[in-house]
Coordinates of all heavy atoms in Angstrom, one line a residue:
P1277 N 14.7 55.3 -61.0 CA 14.9 55.1 -59.6 C 14.3 56.3 -58.8 O 14.5 57.4 -59.2 CB 16.4 55.0 -59.4 CG 16.9 54.5 -60.7 CD 16.0 55.2 -61.8
G1278 N 13.6 55.9 -57.8 CA 13.0 57.0 -56.9 C 11.6 57.6 -57.4 O 11.0 58.3 -56.7
Q1279 N 11.2 57.2 -58.6 CA 10.0 57.8 -59.1 C 8.8 57.2 -58.5 O 7.7 57.9 -58.3 CB 9.9 57.7 -60.6 CG 8.7 58.3 -61.2 CD 8.7 58.3 -62.8 OE1 9.8 58.4 -63.4 NE2 7.5 58.2 -63.3
V1280 N 8.8 56.0 -58.0 CA 7.7 55.3 -57.4 C 8.1 55.2 -55.9 O 9.0 54.4 -55.5 CB 7.5 53.8 -57.9 CG1 6.3 53.2 -57.2 CG2 7.2 54.0 -59.5
H1281 N 7.4 56.1 -55.0 CA 8.0 56.2 -53.7 C 6.9 56.4 -52.7 O 7.1 56.6 -51.5 CB 8.9 57.4 -53.6 CG 8.3 58.7 -54.1 ND1 7.5 59.4 -53.4 CD2 8.4 59.2 -55.3 CE1 7.1 60.5 -54.1 NE2 7.6 60.4 -55.3
D1282 N 5.6 56.3 -53.1 CA 4.5 56.5 -52.1 C 3.2 55.9 -52.8 O 3.2 55.4 -53.9 CB 4.3 58.0 -51.7 CG 3.9 58.9 -52.9 OD1 3.5 58.4 -54.0 OD2 4.1 60.1 -52.8
P1283 N 2.1 55.9 -52.1 CA 0.8 55.3 -52.6 C 0.4 56.0 -53.9 O 0.0 55.3 -54.8 CB -0.2 55.6 -51.5 CG 0.6 55.7 -50.3 CD 1.9 56.4 -50.7
V1284 N 0.5 57.3 -54.1 CA 0.1 58.0 -55.3 C 0.9 57.6 -56.4 O 0.4 57.3 -57.6 CB 0.0 59.5 -55.1 CG1 -0.3 60.2 -56.4 CG2 -1.0 59.8 -54.0
T1285 N 2.2 57.6 -56.3 CA 3.1 57.3 -57.4 C 3.0 55.8 -57.8 O 3.2 55.4 -58.9 CB 4.6 57.7 -57.1 OG1 5.0 57.1 -55.9 CG2 4.7 59.2 -57.1
M1286 N 2.8 54.9 -56.8 CA 2.5 53.5 -57.1 C 1.3 53.3 -57.9 O 1.3 52.6 -58.9 CB 2.5 52.7 -55.7 CG 2.1 51.2 -56.0 SD 3.3 50.3 -57.0 CE 4.4 49.7 -55.8
A1287 N 0.2 54.0 -57.5 CA -1.1 53.9 -58.2 C -0.9 54.4 -59.7 O -1.4 53.8 -60.6 CB -2.2 54.7 -57.5
A1288 N -0.1 55.4 -59.9 CA 0.1 56.0 -61.2 C 0.9 55.0 -62.1 O 0.7 54.8 -63.2 CB 0.9 57.4 -61.1
W1289 N 1.9 54.4 -61.4 CA 2.7 53.4 -62.2 C 1.9 52.2 -62.6 O 2.0 51.8 -63.8 CB 3.9 53.0 -61.4 CG 4.8 51.9 -62.0 CD1 5.1 51.8 -63.3 CD2 5.4 50.8 -61.3 NE1 5.9 50.7 -63.5 CE2 6.1 50.1 -62.3 CE3 5.4 50.4 -60.0 CZ2 6.8 48.9 -61.9 CZ3 6.2 49.3 -59.6 CH2 6.9 48.6 -60.6
V1290 N 1.1 51.7 -61.7 CA 0.3 50.5 -62.0 C -0.7 51.0 -63.1 O -0.9 50.2 -64.1 CB -0.5 50.0 -60.8 CG1 -1.6 49.0 -61.2 CG2 0.5 49.5 -59.8
T1291 N -1.3 52.1 -63.0 CA -2.3 52.7 -64.1 C -1.6 52.7 -65.4 O -2.1 52.3 -66.5 CB -2.8 54.0 -63.7 OG1 -3.6 53.8 -62.4 CG2 -3.7 54.5 -64.7
A1292 N -0.4 53.2 -65.5 CA 0.4 53.3 -66.7 C 0.7 52.0 -67.3 O 0.5 51.7 -68.5 CB 1.7 54.1 -66.5
F1293 N 1.1 50.9 -66.5 CA 1.3 49.7 -66.9 C 0.0 49.0 -67.5 O 0.0 48.5 -68.6 CB 1.8 48.7 -65.8 CG 1.9 47.3 -66.2 CD1 3.0 46.8 -66.9 CD2 0.9 46.4 -65.9 CE1 3.0 45.5 -67.3 CE2 0.9 45.1 -66.3 CZ 2.0 44.6 -67.0
R1294 N -1.1 49.2 -66.8 CA -2.3 48.6 -67.2 C -2.8 49.2 -68.5 O -3.5 48.6 -69.3 CB -3.4 48.8 -66.1 CG -3.1 48.1 -64.8 CD -3.2 46.7 -64.7 NE -4.4 46.1 -65.4 CZ -4.6 44.9 -65.6 NH1 -3.7 44.0 -65.2 NH2 -5.7 44.4 -66.2
S1295 N -2.4 50.5 -68.8 CA -2.9 51.2 -70.0 C -2.3 50.5 -71.3 O -2.8 50.8 -72.3 CB -2.5 52.7 -69.9 OG -1.1 52.9 -70.1
S1296 N -1.3 49.8 -71.1 CA -0.7 49.1 -72.3 C -1.4 47.8 -72.7 O -1.1 47.2 -73.7 CB 0.7 48.7 -72.0 OG 1.5 49.9 -71.8
F1297 N -2.5 47.5 -71.9 CA -3.1 46.2 -72.1 C -4.6 46.4 -72.2 O -5.2 47.1 -71.3 CB -2.7 45.2 -71.0 CG -1.3 44.9 -71.0 CD1 -0.5 45.7 -70.2 CD2 -0.7 44.0 -71.9 CE1 0.9 45.5 -70.2 CE2 0.7 43.8 -71.9 CZ 1.5 44.5 -71.0
E1298 N -5.3 45.7 -73.1 CA -6.8 45.7 -73.1 C -7.3 44.9 -72.0 O -8.3 45.2 -71.4 CB -7.2 45.1 -74.5 CG -7.0 45.9 -75.7 CD -7.4 45.2 -77.0 OE1 -8.3 44.3 -76.9 OE2 -6.8 45.6 -78.0
S1299 N -6.6 43.8 -71.7 CA -7.0 43.0 -70.6 C -5.6 42.3 -70.1 O -4.7 42.2 -70.8 CB -8.0 41.9 -70.9 OG -7.4 41.0 -71.9
G1300 N -5.6 41.9 -68.8 CA -4.4 41.2 -68.3 C -4.7 40.9 -66.8 O -5.4 41.5 -66.1
T1301 N -4.0 39.8 -66.5 CA -4.1 39.2 -65.1 C -2.8 38.7 -64.6 O -2.1 38.0 -65.3 CB -5.1 38.0 -65.1 OG1 -6.4 38.5 -65.7 CG2 -5.3 37.5 -63.7
F1302 N -2.5 39.2 -63.4 CA -1.4 38.6 -62.6 C -1.9 37.5 -61.8 O -3.0 37.6 -61.2 CB -0.8 39.6 -61.7 CG 0.1 40.7 -62.4 CD1 -0.5 41.8 -62.8 CD2 1.5 40.4 -62.6 CE1 0.3 42.8 -63.5 CE2 2.2 41.4 -63.2 CZ 1.6 42.6 -63.7
R1303 N -1.2 36.3 -61.8 CA -1.6 35.2 -60.9 C -0.5 34.6 -60.3 O 0.6 34.5 -60.9 CB -2.5 34.2 -61.7 CG -1.7 33.4 -62.7 CD -2.6 32.4 -63.4 NE -1.9 31.6 -64.3 CZ -1.3 30.4 -64.0 NH1 -1.4 29.9 -62.8 NH2 -0.6 29.7 -64.9
P1304 N -0.6 34.2 -59.0 CA 0.6 33.6 -58.3 C 0.9 32.2 -58.9 O -0.1 31.4 -59.2 CB 0.1 33.5 -56.9 CG -1.1 34.3 -56.8 CD -1.7 34.4 -58.1
L1305 N 2.2 31.9 -59.1 CA 2.6 30.6 -59.5 C 3.1 29.9 -58.2 O 2.9 28.7 -58.0 CB 3.6 30.6 -60.6 CG 3.2 31.2 -61.8 CD1 4.3 31.3 -62.8 CD2 2.1 30.4 -62.5
I1306 N 3.9 30.6 -57.4 CA 4.4 30.1 -56.1 C 4.2 31.2 -55.1 O 4.6 32.3 -55.3 CB 5.9 29.7 -56.3 CG1 6.1 28.6 -57.3 CG2 6.4 29.2 -54.9 CD1 7.6 28.4 -57.6
G1307 N 3.6 30.9 -54.0 CA 3.4 31.8 -53.0 C 2.0 32.5 -53.0 O 1.2 32.0 -53.7
P1308 N 1.9 33.4 -52.1 CA 2.9 34.2 -51.4 C 3.4 33.3 -50.2 O 2.7 32.6 -49.6 CB 2.2 35.4 -50.9 CG 0.8 35.0 -50.7 CD 0.6 34.0 -51.8
L1309 N 4.8 33.5 -50.0 CA 5.4 32.8 -48.9 C 5.9 34.0 -48.0 O 6.5 35.0 -48.4 CB 6.6 32.0 -49.4 CG 6.3 31.0 -50.4 CD1 7.6 30.4 -51.0 CD2 5.4 29.8 -49.8
G1310 N 5.8 33.8 -46.7 CA 6.3 34.8 -45.7 C 7.5 34.3 -44.9 O 7.5 33.1 -44.5
V1311 N 8.5 35.2 -44.7 CA 9.6 35.0 -43.9 C 9.8 36.3 -43.1 O 10.1 37.3 -43.8 CB 10.9 34.6 -44.7 CG1 12.0 34.4 -43.7 CG2 10.7 33.3 -45.4
D1312 N 9.7 36.2 -41.8 CA 9.9 37.4 -41.0 C 8.9 38.5 -41.5 O 7.7 38.3 -41.6 CB 11.3 37.9 -41.0 CG 12.2 36.9 -40.2 OD1 11.7 36.2 -39.3 OD2 13.4 36.8 -40.6
D1313 N 9.4 39.7 -41.9 CA 8.6 40.7 -42.4 C 8.5 40.8 -44.0 O 8.1 41.8 -44.5 CB 8.9 42.1 -41.8 CG 10.3 42.5 -42.3 OD1 11.1 41.7 -42.8 OD2 10.6 43.7 -42.0
L1314 N 8.9 39.7 -44.7 CA 8.9 39.7 -46.1 C 7.9 38.8 -46.7 O 7.7 37.7 -46.1 CB 10.3 39.3 -46.6 CG 11.4 40.3 -46.2 CD1 12.8 39.6 -46.6 CD2 11.3 41.6 -46.8
L1315 N 7.3 39.1 -47.8 CA 6.4 38.3 -48.6 C 7.1 38.1 -49.9 O 7.6 39.1 -50.5 CB 5.1 39.0 -48.8 CG 4.0 38.9 -47.7 CD1 2.8 39.8 -48.1 CD2 3.6 37.5 -47.4
F1316 N 7.0 36.8 -50.4 CA 7.6 36.5 -51.7 C 6.5 35.8 -52.6 O 5.7 35.0 -52.1 CB 8.8 35.5 -51.6 CG 9.9 35.9 -50.7 CD1 9.7 35.8 -49.3 CD2 11.0 36.4 -51.2 CE1 10.8 36.1 -48.5 CE2 12.0 36.8 -50.4 CZ 11.9 36.7 -49.0
C1317 N 6.5 36.2 -53.9 CA 5.6 35.5 -54.8 C 6.2 35.5 -56.2 O 6.7 36.5 -56.7 CB 4.3 36.3 -54.9 SG 3.0 35.4 -55.9
H1318 N 6.2 34.3 -56.8 CA 6.5 34.2 -58.2 C 5.2 34.2 -59.0 O 4.3 33.4 -58.6 CB 7.3 32.8 -58.5 CG 7.6 32.6 -59.8 ND1 7.4 31.4 -60.5 CD2 8.2 33.4 -60.8 CE1 7.8 31.5 -61.7 NE2 8.4 32.7 -61.9
W1319 N 5.0 35.1 -59.9 CA 3.8 35.3 -60.6 C 4.0 35.2 -62.1 O 5.1 35.2 -62.6 CB 3.2 36.7 -60.3 CG 4.2 37.8 -60.3 CD1 4.9 38.4 -59.3 CD2 4.6 38.5 -61.5 NE1 5.7 39.4 -59.8 CE2 5.6 39.4 -61.2 CE3 4.3 38.4 -62.9 CZ2 6.2 40.3 -62.1 CZ3 4.9 39.2 -63.8 CH2 5.9 40.2 -63.4
E1320 N 2.8 35.1 -62.8 CA 2.7 35.2 -64.2 C 1.7 36.2 -64.6 O 0.6 36.3 -64.0 CB 2.3 33.8 -64.7 CG 2.1 33.8 -66.2 CD 1.6 32.5 -66.8 OE1 0.6 31.9 -66.2 OE2 2.3 31.9 -67.6
F1321 N 2.0 37.0 -65.6 CA 1.1 38.0 -66.2 C 0.7 37.5 -67.6 O 1.6 37.1 -68.4 CB 1.7 39.4 -66.4 CG 0.8 40.3 -67.0 CD1 -0.2 41.0 -66.4 CD2 1.0 40.6 -68.4 CE1 -1.1 41.9 -67.0 CE2 0.1 41.5 -69.1 CZ -0.9 42.1 -68.3

């Protein structure tokens, strides 16, 4: 908790996740849907 808290730490986390895969794709299954200031998406990797 708290380790991902700004653009730089988000980019580092995404990079670390991607480093575990030779290839990979996230794709939306449902959404994105918007309500007020929120976006929701059910995805598959």
